[in-house]
Amino acid sequence: MTVDIQPDRIMRELAELATFSNASLPAVTRVVFSAQDLAARAWFKRLCVERALTVREDSVGNTFARWAGADPDLPAVATGSHMDAIPNAGRFDGTVGVLGGLEAIRTLRSNGFQPWRSIELILFTSEEPTRFGVGCVGSRLLSGSLSAKVADQMKDEDGGTLAEIRERAGFRGDLESVRLNPDFYSGFVELHIEQGPILEREQINIGVVSHIAAPAALRIEIEGEGGHAGAVLMPQRRDAFSAAAELALAIESAARRTGSIDTVATTGTCNVFPAAINSIPSKVQLGVDVRDVDLERRDSILHTVDKAAKRISADRHVDISINVITADAPAVSDERICTTIRCACQELGLTYRNMVSRAYHDCLFMSRICPASMIFIPCRNGVSHRPDEYASEEDIVNGVRVLARTLAQLAQ
């Protein structure tokens, strides 16, 4: 089957989408349900309607564009990703999977392919945690991994709830209706930039994702006792920051001791109160991310963190509380879909390798309700979530060609 992608079209659309931003190019800022996000959604829907795709939206704003198959009653094949972007991000994260999915559908149609199963393109809501502190809100709700009641009460920094904000954005209705039945899709494939350096470094065209790591996100609060930096002697100190620093090192050490390259732990935020050079810190809040492709090993780190916190609390006479915000299970990709992706690469003469996705994506939650996998393409220097994020036209076209062949095979 011929797969004639139109490179100029998809690159032009990626450039146009980047203009829906609250930052000056090359930076992109597009926070979910902002004016820029809503304008980008309207633009995307117009592109889908122009290609005679049937568009619908659910009550959290997940958007579905369907190409009806010969037997529309069969579970559909799905692809897609997200368009929201963290502050000061780039133009390729998520968007390659959305516009690449659209280009794959357009290409198959223009080449006369008629799918037996319907093919559906999904624009997921709020993959990034920027606004509500939780990533993949749309796909979590689709898969039933997030309670509708809990989701509607999530708040942004201004105190607005998801229920209020989505209604203002025009997405009304009960969030319970978002959840899909497990047999709604027969398979899901997400095209994405790697967000890592492996493919570029090894000069490989395509990554076939076999596993998706999943994070546990922790909010840790340490409370000690403040005081004058000169007046309180060292034996009497209950320094919250020193306790936090010791705990952060214990978290790092726990990840290193597993002996697995797939175990990572990061203390990414540290808020110190009162944050004065001549005052002993009385309170500290840490944000911690622990992730692995092995759930048991990942959870063993959480157990070690808990033990370390108890020891440090006793040694330093501080109070430490740990709140687990999320603790998602990793995913193993469907082997049938992975084989289909590898076959597409072989047919197109592209090099490929199996690999782990260390970032997590909407595919992680779609795998809860249907067979799923991901297609990775190289990105320059492995850089992502920055204005200099970059994927070449050649690599994007290769990814779309593989996606198109994969969708065609899965829709037969």
Side-chain angles (χ1 to χ4, degrees):
M1 180 182 62
T2 304
V3 185
D4 294 324
I5 306 300
Q6 293 190 26
D8 291 346
R9 179 168 59 189
I10 188 170
M11 298 309 291
R12 182 179 66 251
E13 288 172 350
L14 283 166
E16 186 173 354
L17 177 54
T19 66
F20 294 94
S21 172
N22 199 33
S24 299
L25 293 174
V28 175
T29 299
R30 192 164 46 245
V31 176
V32 69
F33 299 140
S34 65
Q36 295 78 20
D37 177 58
L38 296 177
R41 287 167 177 267
W43 171 83
F44 168 71
K45 285 185 287 185
R46 286 196 298 272
L47 293 182
C48 294
V49 170
E50 286 171 5
R51 292 295 160 170
L53 302 180
T54 303
V55 177
R56 67 181 177 87
E57 296 169 314
D58 65 20
S59 55
V60 79
N62 290 316
T63 303
F64 309 84
R66 178 168 288 223
W67 176 16
D71 188 345
D73 293 329
L74 288 173
V77 176
T79 188
S81 196
H82 66 100
M83 295 198 317
D84 60 318
I86 68 168
N88 204 47
R91 69 171 63 176
F92 300 98
D93 173 25
T95 58
V96 166
V98 177
L99 295 178
L102 178 59
E103 182 62 23
I105 290 172
R106 291 185 297 211
T107 298
L108 291 173
R109 293 187 79 161
S110 65
N111 281 276
F113 177 77
Q114 176 59 52
W116 191 255
R117 296 179 183 273
S118 298
I119 298 177
E120 190 149 89
L121 173 60
I122 308 173
L123 166 60
F124 294 100
T125 288
S126 196
E127 193 266 359
E128 302 291 3
T130 307
R131 185 154 196 177
F132 297 106
V134 175
C136 298
V137 172
S139 54
R140 285 179 190 271
L141 287 166
L142 283 174
S143 64
S145 302
L146 175 63
S147 155
K149 184 176 181 180
V150 169
D152 253 345
Q153 295 308 308
M154 295 189 308
K155 295 183 179 180
D156 66 6
E157 288 186 353
D158 296 325
T161 65
L162 173 60
E164 296 164 344
I165 293 166
R166 68 182 176 89
E167 184 169 349
R168 286 202 301 269
F171 303 113
R172 299 177 177 87
D174 189 348
L175 284 188
E176 292 286 356
S177 65
V178 173
R179 185 172 183 172
L180 297 178
N181 293 326
D183 61 351
F184 191 84
Y185 292 122
S186 64
F188 175 80
V189 187
E190 183 171 1
L191 173 64
H192 209 282
I193 59 172
E194 181 194 349
Q195 298 181 288
I198 295 172
L199 292 175
E200 182 187 54
R201 186 174 61 216
E202 298 184 3
Q203 296 186 314
I204 293 174
N205 300 126
I206 297 292
V208 183
V209 174
S210 59
H211 295 75
I212 304 175
L218 312 178
R219 183 181 294 114
I220 303 177
E221 296 185 350
I222 300 106
E223 184 165 357
E225 185 173 329
H228 193 284
V232 181
L233 302 180
M234 300 308 289
Q236 283 76 49
R237 293 203 175 192
R238 297 171 57 210
D239 187 324
F241 176 73
S242 294
E246 186 175 346
L247 183 56
L249 291 173
I251 292 167
E252 180 190 52
S253 177
R256 290 182 182 276
R257 286 200 307 270
T258 68
S260 171
I261 197 170
D262 293 324
T263 312
V264 291
T266 306
T267 302
T269 63
C270 179
N271 298 316
V272 180
F273 180 83
I277 192 171
N278 61 344
S279 181
I280 299 165
S282 59
K283 295 180 181 179
V284 173
Q285 185 181 88
L286 301 178
V288 175
D289 180 298
V290 182
R291 63 181 72 193
D292 204 319
V293 297
D294 184 282
L295 180 61
E296 184 177 348
R297 193 166 57 215
R298 197 276 312 276
D299 286 351
S300 74
I301 302 298
L302 303 185
H303 180 64
T304 301
V305 171
D306 190 59
K307 287 176 60 179
K310 288 183 170 64
R311 174 183 57 79
I312 294 166
S313 175
D315 290 348
R316 292 184 170 274
H317 306 291
V318 296
D319 295 322
I320 302 178
S321 63
I322 300 176
N323 178 30
V324 180
I325 302 170
T326 59
D328 301 304
V332 178
S333 296
D334 179 74
E335 182 53 32
R336 179 179 64 95
I337 295 180
C338 288
T339 298
T340 304
I341 296 169
R342 288 190 285 264
C343 287
C345 292
Q346 291 167 0
E347 291 165 359
L348 293 166
L350 299 174
T351 56
Y352 63 90
R353 61 161 287 171
N354 295 334
M355 61 193 313
V356 169
S357 173
R358 303 187 190 285
Y360 76 107
H361 305 274
D362 291 303
C363 187
L364 175 71
F365 298 98
M366 293 302 289
S367 73
R368 309 281 199 256
I369 55 172
C370 68
S373 185
M374 299 187 71
I375 299 167
F376 274 176
I377 60 170
C379 57
R380 187 171 59 195
N381 298 324
V383 166
S384 184
H385 283 192
R386 286 177 10 193
D388 55 337
E389 174 183 273
Y390 178 78
S392 71
E393 178 181 304
E394 179 183 2
D395 289 327
I396 291 170
V397 168
N398 284 339
V400 175
R401 293 171 73 206
V402 172
L403 176 63
R405 280 184 172 264
T406 300
L407 292 174
Q409 184 62 39
L410 295 176
Q412 295 283 43

